[in-house]
Amino acid sequence: MIELSERLGIPGLPNIVYSIDHPGLIDRPLPPNSTWRFRGRWAAACTCNDVIAMGAQPQGFALDLALPKDIAIDDVRDFYQGMTDVLTEYGVVIEGGNIDANDRFETAAMCWGTVSPEGMIRREGARAGDVVAVTTPIGLGWASHLLHRNGRFAELSPAIRAELEEYNLMPLGPAEAVRETVRMLPGEITSGMDLTDGLIEFLDTIRVRNGLGAVIDARSVPVPPALAECAALLGVPPQVLCLEYGFDTPRMHGYTVRAASWEKVSEIFARCGWPLYRIGEVTVEPRLSWRSLDGTVLDLPRLWWDPYGEADIVGRWTSDIVRALSEA
């Protein structure tokens, strides 16, 4: 973030926010012949998403792309077309970039935009009593990954299989809803971030940055039919699927909202076509906890992608989340 007014001594200037991201190749259930176009959409959306989550309108984008020589030209073309799909939706200009020959596929993307200082959403700012909210039902991407990994995706009903293949083909975040909220109710979203590493990482940010805690209420976690069917096949309570590693990025943001403004903020999101889900609250005690369906309050473990890596994410999730919260 660059605070222009503070740096230049000129009142009334916006803040510039930017994100540099390295969205890699991801494994998702996708319709045939859509892999590379989706990868382009993913790279653009993940990077723009960071800027949107700070309350800003994305304005410019650049990409450094490293490619092995054996990638087909049509795949590269599809990647750029997918990237353009997302940037066009957001009204973002491609400013430039670079393409390098490499021994593997790598991306380094940058997006920037502007937001008023009073409307900017920071990672600090949550206060006890604030609502914890998310911008999408969480867990569909993670459930899909688990079913694929277990070889059970084909056991889903045809309608749910199709939904899981298509629901995130255009992985757009709630740009208009966030922009309208910070314009009309600046400061009422007290903190927030994209959930690239999942809900628990966001809650830990509340604890570290604000010295507060949070409790998530299982009874408030949205469980759409697709998530319920996946959970039944996996043999886990559907609510615990929301405690994952960010597989529904970049549609998924986490915010804290002043309780007194909750109705107004959620109305703005709904008007922009984005339900906002109230799933918990910020607490004075710096404890991250889960209120189960029977009312039992349990500690949430530390669980996000970076400390563990690909090799053990399912094992860690099964032991730390499913067993800890389902069998307590």
Side-chain angles (χ1 to χ4, degrees), residues 112-191:
W112 56 92
T114 58
V115 60
S116 66
E118 62 274 13
M120 182 168 172
I121 301 169
R122 305 169 187 262
R123 297 193 178 190
E124 302 92 355
R127 300 194 298 188
D130 284 352
V131 172
V132 176
V134 293
T135 58
T136 183
I138 306 175
L140 289 174
W142 179 236
S144 298
H145 178 77
L146 292 174
L147 289 170
H148 269 278
R149 188 156 170 164
N150 295 338
R152 303 195 65 187
F153 190 78
E155 297 177 35
L156 291 167
S157 64
I160 297 300
R161 281 203 312 273
E163 179 180 343
L164 293 179
E165 288 176 343
E166 296 172 1
Y167 85 102
N168 211 15
L169 282 180
M170 274 294 282
L172 300 174
E176 182 185 2
V178 174
R179 185 172 63 245
E180 284 299 295
T181 301
V182 301
R183 182 181 67 84
M184 297 178 65
L185 299 171
E188 298 308 294
I189 295 179
T190 55
S191 72

XYZ file of all heavy atoms in Angstrom, residues 112-191:
608
model
N -2.733 -3.624 -9.554
C -2.789 -2.456 -8.678
C -4.091 -1.694 -8.907
O -4.747 -1.827 -9.950
C -1.595 -1.524 -8.905
C -1.427 -1.039 -10.315
C -1.922 0.091 -10.874
C -0.708 -1.715 -11.354
N -1.567 0.178 -12.190
C -0.808 -0.916 -12.510
C 0.006 -2.910 -11.429
C -0.230 -1.289 -13.727
C 0.583 -3.274 -12.632
C 0.469 -2.463 -13.760
N -4.456 -0.906 -7.900
C -5.671 -0.112 -7.987
C -5.657 0.965 -6.934
O -4.653 1.160 -6.227
N -6.758 1.696 -6.806
C -6.831 2.805 -5.852
C -8.080 2.691 -4.993
O -9.101 2.124 -5.404
C -6.848 4.163 -6.579
O -7.972 4.202 -7.476
C -5.556 4.373 -7.359
N -7.997 3.266 -3.791
C -9.122 3.284 -2.860
C -8.937 4.482 -1.944
O -7.805 4.887 -1.655
C -9.191 1.967 -2.051
C -7.927 1.751 -1.231
C -10.425 1.935 -1.153
N -10.046 5.050 -1.484
C -9.951 6.180 -0.561
C -9.342 5.703 0.760
O -9.570 4.565 1.181
C -11.340 6.763 -0.297
O -12.152 5.839 0.395
N -8.578 6.558 1.435
C -7.967 6.144 2.709
C -8.999 5.695 3.739
O -8.770 4.732 4.476
C -7.228 7.405 3.169
C -6.926 8.147 1.904
C -8.113 7.896 1.004
N -10.132 6.389 3.783
C -11.136 6.027 4.781
C -11.880 4.739 4.420
O -12.456 4.076 5.281
C -12.145 7.173 4.983
C -12.956 7.544 3.755
C -12.247 8.554 2.848
O -11.029 8.778 3.034
O -12.922 9.094 1.959
N -11.881 4.385 3.154
C -12.583 3.177 2.734
C -11.699 1.949 2.651
O -12.203 0.827 2.507
N -10.412 2.123 2.755
C -9.503 0.998 2.578
C -9.720 -0.068 3.649
O -9.913 0.236 4.822
C -8.050 1.480 2.627
C -7.075 0.357 2.391
S -5.418 0.954 2.121
C -4.559 -0.622 2.142
N -9.705 -1.327 3.219
C -9.880 -2.459 4.134
C -8.502 -3.026 4.451
O -7.792 -3.503 3.562
C -10.778 -3.538 3.510
C -12.155 -2.951 3.163
C -10.932 -4.717 4.470
C -13.015 -3.865 2.321
N -8.134 -2.984 5.716
C -6.827 -3.448 6.157
C -6.973 -4.764 6.925
O -8.082 -5.192 7.249
C -6.161 -2.397 7.051
C -6.049 -1.016 6.408
C -5.622 0.034 7.431
N -5.673 1.371 6.865
C -4.619 2.023 6.374
N -3.426 1.424 6.385
N -4.730 3.235 5.872
N -5.850 -5.358 7.239
C -5.885 -6.567 8.064
C -6.037 -6.223 9.544
O -6.441 -7.066 10.331
C -4.641 -7.419 7.819
C -4.588 -7.910 6.380
C -3.564 -8.989 6.162
N -3.600 -9.438 4.780
C -2.962 -10.500 4.326
N -2.212 -11.226 5.135
N -3.060 -10.845 3.053
N -5.692 -5.009 9.921
C -5.980 -4.526 11.265
C -7.337 -3.836 11.275
O -7.835 -3.444 10.223
C -4.914 -3.523 11.722
C -3.509 -4.052 11.717
C -2.786 -3.784 10.403
O -3.447 -3.259 9.487
O -1.595 -4.102 10.298
N -7.898 -3.696 12.453
C -9.116 -2.907 12.578
C -10.293 -3.637 13.187
O -11.277 -3.009 13.588
N -10.237 -4.963 13.266
C -11.346 -5.703 13.872
C -11.509 -5.313 15.328
O -10.536 -5.014 16.025
C -11.094 -7.203 13.750
N -12.768 -5.310 15.776
C -13.060 -4.977 17.165
C -13.976 -6.047 17.747
O -14.749 -6.679 17.030
C -13.718 -3.603 17.256
C -12.846 -2.486 16.706
C -13.341 -1.120 17.092
N -14.664 -0.841 16.558
C -15.261 0.358 16.624
N -14.629 1.361 17.222
N -16.445 0.545 16.122
N -13.871 -6.267 19.046
C -14.713 -7.257 19.707
C -16.184 -6.965 19.422
O -16.625 -5.814 19.492
C -14.447 -7.255 21.208
N -16.921 -7.999 19.084
C -18.328 -7.848 18.745
C -18.599 -7.735 17.265
O -19.752 -7.846 16.826
N -17.552 -7.504 16.448
C -17.739 -7.463 14.998
C -18.226 -8.819 14.478
O -17.885 -9.881 15.023
C -16.425 -7.125 14.284
C -16.060 -5.652 14.388
O -16.883 -4.858 14.878
O -14.935 -5.303 13.969
N -18.980 -8.760 13.399
C -19.419 -9.968 12.709
C -18.269 -10.516 11.871
O -17.561 -9.754 11.214
C -20.623 -9.645 11.797
C -20.985 -10.850 10.922
C -21.824 -9.205 12.628
N -18.069 -11.835 11.890
C -17.167 -12.500 10.946
C -18.014 -13.004 9.786
O -18.989 -13.739 9.991
C -16.405 -13.670 11.604
C -15.551 -14.401 10.569
C -15.542 -13.174 12.743
N -17.657 -12.574 8.572
C -18.474 -12.904 7.401
C -17.597 -13.400 6.257
O -16.419 -13.043 6.164
C -19.269 -11.674 6.951
N -18.190 -14.211 5.400
C -17.510 -14.699 4.201
C -18.410 -14.470 3.001
O -19.626 -14.345 3.126
C -17.130 -16.189 4.318
C -16.067 -16.395 5.387
C -18.356 -17.057 4.612
N -17.790 -14.416 1.822
C -18.523 -14.012 0.622
C -19.024 -15.184 -0.213
O -19.610 -14.958 -1.270
C -17.630 -13.130 -0.272
O -16.443 -13.860 -0.604
C -17.249 -11.845 0.438
N -18.819 -16.396 0.238
C -19.300 -17.561 -0.507
C -19.372 -18.747 0.431
O -18.625 -18.797 1.425
C -18.360 -17.889 -1.689
O -18.889 -18.991 -2.433
C -16.973 -18.249 -1.205
N -20.268 -19.712 0.176
C -20.168 -20.961 0.932
C -18.784 -21.571 0.701
O -18.311 -21.632 -0.423
C -21.265 -21.837 0.324
C -22.250 -20.869 -0.252
C -21.417 -19.724 -0.753
N -18.129 -21.985 1.784
C -16.758 -22.460 1.695
C -16.732 -23.984 1.742
O -17.451 -24.588 2.539
C -15.909 -21.906 2.853
C -16.014 -20.388 2.920
C -14.455 -22.321 2.711
C -15.304 -19.785 4.115
N -15.893 -24.583 0.909
C -15.669 -26.013 1.009
C -15.899 -26.798 -0.251
O -15.508 -27.968 -0.338
N -16.542 -26.196 -1.268
C -16.836 -26.949 -2.487
C -15.556 -27.369 -3.210
O -15.432 -28.504 -3.665
C -17.722 -26.115 -3.415
C -19.166 -25.922 -2.961
C -19.896 -24.962 -3.892
C -19.896 -27.252 -2.902
N -14.600 -26.457 -3.326
C -13.352 -26.796 -3.990
C -12.582 -27.864 -3.234
O -12.005 -28.781 -3.827
N -12.557 -27.758 -1.914
C -11.862 -28.736 -1.083
C -12.554 -30.103 -1.153
O -11.898 -31.144 -1.284
C -11.807 -28.229 0.346
C -11.150 -29.143 1.330
C -11.687 -29.622 2.483
C -9.811 -29.662 1.276
N -10.784 -30.410 3.143
C -9.627 -30.453 2.423
C -8.774 -29.541 0.352
C -8.427 -31.123 2.686
C -7.573 -30.201 0.616
C -7.415 -30.986 1.773
N -13.882 -30.109 -1.096
C -14.615 -31.373 -1.201
C -14.362 -32.042 -2.548
O -14.170 -33.261 -2.620
C -16.110 -31.121 -1.003
N -14.344 -31.252 -3.627
C -14.049 -31.801 -4.953
C -12.665 -32.436 -4.983
O -12.475 -33.529 -5.524
C -14.118 -30.697 -6.017
O -15.412 -30.152 -6.097
N -11.688 -31.730 -4.394
C -10.318 -32.245 -4.363
C -10.257 -33.568 -3.606
O -9.608 -34.525 -4.049
C -9.408 -31.210 -3.706
C -7.983 -31.646 -3.580
N -7.112 -31.646 -4.641
C -7.280 -32.124 -2.510
C -5.931 -32.084 -4.244
N -6.008 -32.379 -2.950
N -10.918 -33.643 -2.457
C -10.897 -34.867 -1.665
C -11.537 -36.028 -2.417
O -11.025 -37.157 -2.396
C -11.617 -34.641 -0.337
C -10.939 -33.699 0.663
C -11.852 -33.472 1.866
C -9.595 -34.246 1.109
N -12.659 -35.767 -3.078
C -13.335 -36.840 -3.809
C -12.512 -37.314 -4.997
O -12.449 -38.525 -5.283
C -14.717 -36.368 -4.266
C -15.742 -36.200 -3.139
C -16.994 -35.513 -3.649
C -16.088 -37.553 -2.518
N -11.866 -36.391 -5.694
C -10.974 -36.796 -6.784
C -9.806 -37.609 -6.253
O -9.430 -38.639 -6.837
C -10.456 -35.567 -7.539
C -11.309 -35.167 -8.681
N -11.247 -35.754 -9.913
C -12.290 -34.234 -8.761
C -12.123 -35.204 -10.725
N -12.775 -34.281 -10.050
N -9.228 -37.146 -5.169
C -8.068 -37.830 -4.609
C -8.430 -39.243 -4.142
O -7.609 -40.162 -4.215
C -7.524 -37.005 -3.451
C -6.212 -37.499 -2.893
C -5.502 -36.366 -2.207
N -4.356 -36.836 -1.461
C -3.390 -36.054 -1.012
N -3.441 -34.757 -1.244
N -2.394 -36.544 -0.330
N -9.663 -39.419 -3.667
C -10.112 -40.723 -3.210
C -10.739 -41.564 -4.312
O -11.219 -42.677 -4.054
C -11.145 -40.552 -2.079
C -10.541 -39.921 -0.842
O -9.341 -39.968 -0.632
N -11.385 -39.309 -0.016
N -10.780 -41.013 -5.543
C -11.371 -41.747 -6.660
C -12.873 -41.907 -6.570
O -13.432 -42.858 -7.125
N -13.548 -40.955 -5.911
C -14.987 -41.097 -5.681
C -15.811 -39.980 -6.316
O -17.018 -39.904 -6.114
C -15.264 -41.136 -4.167
C -14.510 -42.244 -3.435
C -15.079 -42.484 -2.068
N -16.443 -42.992 -2.142
C -17.224 -43.167 -1.072
N -16.772 -42.847 0.135
N -18.456 -43.631 -1.211
N -15.171 -39.116 -7.103
C -15.909 -37.999 -7.700
C -17.044 -38.499 -8.589
O -18.120 -37.901 -8.634
C -14.955 -37.123 -8.502
C -15.549 -35.825 -8.967
C -15.686 -34.751 -8.113
C -15.981 -35.679 -10.288
C -16.238 -33.549 -8.538
C -16.536 -34.486 -10.725
C -16.665 -33.417 -9.851
N -16.824 -39.601 -9.295
C -17.840 -40.141 -10.209
C -19.077 -40.657 -9.477
O -20.119 -40.883 -10.105
C -17.240 -41.252 -11.057
N -18.992 -40.836 -8.164
C -20.136 -41.331 -7.406
C -21.153 -40.230 -7.102
O -22.259 -40.518 -6.640
C -19.670 -41.964 -6.101
C -18.784 -43.185 -6.292
C -18.282 -43.744 -4.968
O -19.039 -43.692 -3.978
O -17.134 -44.219 -4.919
N -20.785 -38.996 -7.341
C -21.738 -37.907 -7.152
C -22.852 -37.998 -8.186
O -22.669 -38.552 -9.282
C -21.033 -36.556 -7.299
C -20.043 -36.168 -6.200
C -19.216 -34.975 -6.654
C -20.757 -35.858 -4.896
N -23.997 -37.433 -7.871
C -25.089 -37.387 -8.847
C -24.661 -36.544 -10.041
O -23.830 -35.634 -9.909
C -26.336 -36.791 -8.211
O -26.117 -35.439 -7.838
N -25.185 -36.821 -11.239
C -24.769 -36.068 -12.432
C -24.915 -34.559 -12.269
O -24.046 -33.795 -12.708
C -25.694 -36.615 -13.530
C -26.028 -38.005 -13.078
C -26.114 -37.926 -11.577
N -25.998 -34.114 -11.639
C -26.219 -32.672 -11.497
C -25.151 -32.039 -10.612
O -24.635 -30.953 -10.913
C -27.608 -32.407 -10.927
N -24.784 -32.699 -9.525
C -23.780 -32.148 -8.618
C -22.401 -32.207 -9.246
O -21.592 -31.270 -9.102
C -23.802 -32.886 -7.269
C -25.147 -32.694 -6.576
C -22.663 -32.408 -6.371
C -25.503 -31.256 -6.268
N -22.105 -33.281 -10.000
C -20.816 -33.343 -10.711
C -20.681 -32.163 -11.660
O -19.646 -31.501 -11.718
C -20.692 -34.648 -11.507
C -20.325 -35.845 -10.676
C -19.685 -36.937 -11.524
N -20.401 -37.257 -12.742
C -21.388 -38.135 -12.826
N -21.778 -38.793 -11.750
N -21.981 -38.366 -13.972
N -21.750 -31.899 -12.410
C -21.718 -30.783 -13.358
C -21.552 -29.455 -12.631
O -20.802 -28.581 -13.071
C -22.987 -30.779 -14.207
N -22.221 -29.303 -11.509
C -22.108 -28.051 -10.744
C -20.675 -27.832 -10.275
O -20.135 -26.725 -10.366
C -23.047 -28.090 -9.548
C -22.974 -26.835 -8.685
C -23.914 -26.878 -7.498
O -24.847 -27.711 -7.497
O -23.717 -26.079 -6.558
N -20.031 -28.896 -9.771
C -18.673 -28.760 -9.266
C -17.660 -28.538 -10.377
O -16.601 -27.960 -10.148
C -18.292 -29.992 -8.441
C -19.073 -30.165 -7.138
C -18.626 -31.429 -6.420
C -18.916 -28.959 -6.229
N -17.956 -28.976 -11.573
C -17.064 -28.723 -12.704
C -17.198 -27.306 -13.231
O -16.283 -26.778 -13.853
C -17.356 -29.716 -13.829
C -16.899 -31.140 -13.538
C -17.299 -32.113 -14.641
O -18.187 -31.753 -15.447
O -16.743 -33.222 -14.689
N -18.349 -26.684 -12.984
C -18.644 -25.410 -13.634
C -18.727 -24.213 -12.687
O -18.606 -23.072 -13.136
C -19.975 -25.529 -14.396
C -19.919 -26.540 -15.543
C -21.283 -26.785 -16.172
O -22.266 -26.142 -15.728
O -21.353 -27.631 -17.085
N -18.904 -24.448 -11.386
C -19.258 -23.328 -10.509
C -18.155 -22.281 -10.425
O -18.418 -21.117 -10.168
C -19.613 -23.829 -9.106
C -18.427 -24.023 -8.188
C -18.130 -23.084 -7.209
C -17.602 -25.135 -8.300
C -17.044 -23.246 -6.368
C -16.522 -25.304 -7.457
C -16.241 -24.366 -6.495
O -15.160 -24.525 -5.672
N -16.908 -22.677 -10.650
C -15.802 -21.729 -10.490
C -15.049 -21.504 -11.799
O -13.899 -21.097 -11.783
C -14.836 -22.244 -9.419
C -14.162 -21.104 -8.664
O -14.596 -19.962 -8.731
N -13.105 -21.413 -7.937
N -15.706 -21.753 -12.931
C -15.028 -21.563 -14.216
C -14.657 -20.102 -14.450
O -13.658 -19.808 -15.111
C -15.906 -22.064 -15.370
C -15.942 -23.578 -15.572
C -16.847 -23.929 -16.747
C -14.550 -24.150 -15.788
N -15.460 -19.193 -13.940
C -15.101 -17.773 -13.952
C -14.924 -17.355 -12.490
O -15.874 -16.926 -11.833
C -16.177 -16.936 -14.633
C -16.011 -16.858 -16.136
S -14.513 -15.959 -16.656
C -15.039 -14.271 -16.438
N -13.720 -17.499 -11.951
C -13.509 -17.334 -10.506
C -13.406 -15.879 -10.085
O -12.354 -15.377 -9.697
C -12.195 -18.088 -10.285
C -11.453 -17.913 -11.576
C -12.488 -17.889 -12.657
N -14.532 -15.183 -10.167
C -14.546 -13.749 -9.890
C -14.912 -13.463 -8.449
O -15.763 -14.134 -7.854
C -15.558 -13.051 -10.809
C -15.303 -13.193 -12.312
C -16.452 -12.577 -13.092
C -13.981 -12.535 -12.699
N -14.274 -12.459 -7.878
C -14.597 -12.004 -6.535
C -15.670 -10.931 -6.554
O -16.077 -10.443 -7.618
N -16.155 -10.524 -5.376
C -17.272 -9.574 -5.277
C -16.825 -8.129 -5.453
O -17.018 -7.275 -4.581
C -17.807 -9.828 -3.872
C -16.593 -10.220 -3.103
C -15.734 -11.018 -4.060
N -16.246 -7.811 -6.590
C -15.630 -6.493 -6.787
C -16.634 -5.356 -6.620
O -16.367 -4.383 -5.902
C -14.982 -6.432 -8.168
N -17.777 -5.451 -7.277
C -18.753 -4.366 -7.213
C -19.302 -4.212 -5.797
O -19.471 -3.090 -5.298
C -19.896 -4.628 -8.185
C -20.943 -3.517 -8.205
C -22.125 -3.834 -9.079
O -22.175 -4.943 -9.665
O -23.032 -2.972 -9.176
N -19.566 -5.346 -5.136
C -20.122 -5.292 -3.787
C -19.151 -4.627 -2.815
O -19.545 -3.797 -1.982
C -20.470 -6.698 -3.313
N -17.875 -4.980 -2.902
C -16.879 -4.373 -2.016
C -16.723 -2.894 -2.331
O -16.681 -2.045 -1.427
C -15.535 -5.110 -2.142
C -14.457 -4.400 -1.336
C -15.665 -6.558 -1.691
N -16.645 -2.571 -3.617
C -16.468 -1.175 -4.019
C -17.645 -0.308 -3.537
O -17.443 0.807 -3.017
C -16.344 -1.096 -5.543
C -16.029 0.303 -6.070
C -15.733 0.266 -7.550
N -16.873 -0.180 -8.336
C -16.895 -1.312 -9.044
N -15.851 -2.118 -9.042
N -17.962 -1.646 -9.747
N -18.874 -0.812 -3.675
C -20.042 -0.045 -3.236
C -20.070 0.113 -1.718
O -20.445 1.165 -1.199
C -21.325 -0.727 -3.716
C -21.617 -0.516 -5.187
C -21.804 0.960 -5.501
O -22.775 1.562 -5.002
O -20.962 1.523 -6.230
N -19.656 -0.923 -1.009
C -19.671 -0.851 0.449
C -18.675 0.182 0.960
O -19.007 0.992 1.838
C -19.373 -2.225 1.067
O -20.356 -3.173 0.611
C -19.427 -2.149 2.587
N -17.455 0.176 0.431
C -16.467 1.149 0.935
C -16.809 2.562 0.483
O -16.392 3.535 1.123
C -15.035 0.766 0.503
C -14.669 -0.614 1.023
C -14.852 0.835 -1.006
N -17.583 2.696 -0.595
C -17.996 4.027 -1.034
C -19.127 4.558 -0.162
O -19.118 5.715 0.270
C -18.451 3.982 -2.494
C -18.857 5.343 -3.069
C -19.311 5.223 -4.516
N -20.552 4.488 -4.661
C -21.769 5.025 -4.522
N -21.893 6.315 -4.227
N -22.851 4.289 -4.685
N -20.118 3.685 0.115
C -21.298 4.138 0.835
C -21.135 4.056 2.353
O -21.703 4.874 3.090
C -22.508 3.292 0.410
C -22.864 3.431 -1.065
S -24.248 2.372 -1.549
C -25.573 3.102 -0.594
N -20.378 3.086 2.831
C -20.208 2.875 4.271
C -18.725 2.700 4.594
O -18.301 1.644 5.075
C -20.998 1.641 4.725
C -22.513 1.660 4.517
C -23.104 0.293 4.808
C -23.159 2.725 5.418
N -17.915 3.721 4.327
C -16.476 3.567 4.579
C -16.192 3.276 6.044
O -16.745 3.917 6.930
C -15.894 4.925 4.150
C -17.033 5.882 4.208
C -18.251 5.088 3.861
N -15.336 2.276 6.262
C -14.950 1.936 7.619
C -15.833 0.918 8.308
O -15.488 0.425 9.385
N -16.988 0.598 7.709
C -17.891 -0.352 8.366
C -17.436 -1.800 8.165
O -17.799 -2.673 8.948
C -19.330 -0.160 7.877
C -19.901 1.218 8.183
C -19.747 1.581 9.656
O -20.376 0.932 10.510
O -18.979 2.518 9.962
N -16.695 -2.080 7.093
C -15.923 -3.320 7.035
C -14.617 -3.000 7.738
O -13.800 -2.226 7.244
C -15.672 -3.779 5.591
C -16.991 -4.135 4.901
C -14.737 -4.984 5.565
C -16.828 -4.587 3.457
N -14.428 -3.565 8.925
C -13.338 -3.121 9.789
C -12.005 -3.800 9.475
O -10.945 -3.261 9.797
C -13.702 -3.362 11.261
O -14.038 -4.748 11.447
C -14.895 -2.497 11.662
N -12.050 -4.975 8.883
C -10.825 -5.651 8.457
C -11.208 -6.741 7.460
O -12.385 -7.110 7.343
C -10.068 -6.268 9.645
O -10.740 -7.402 10.159
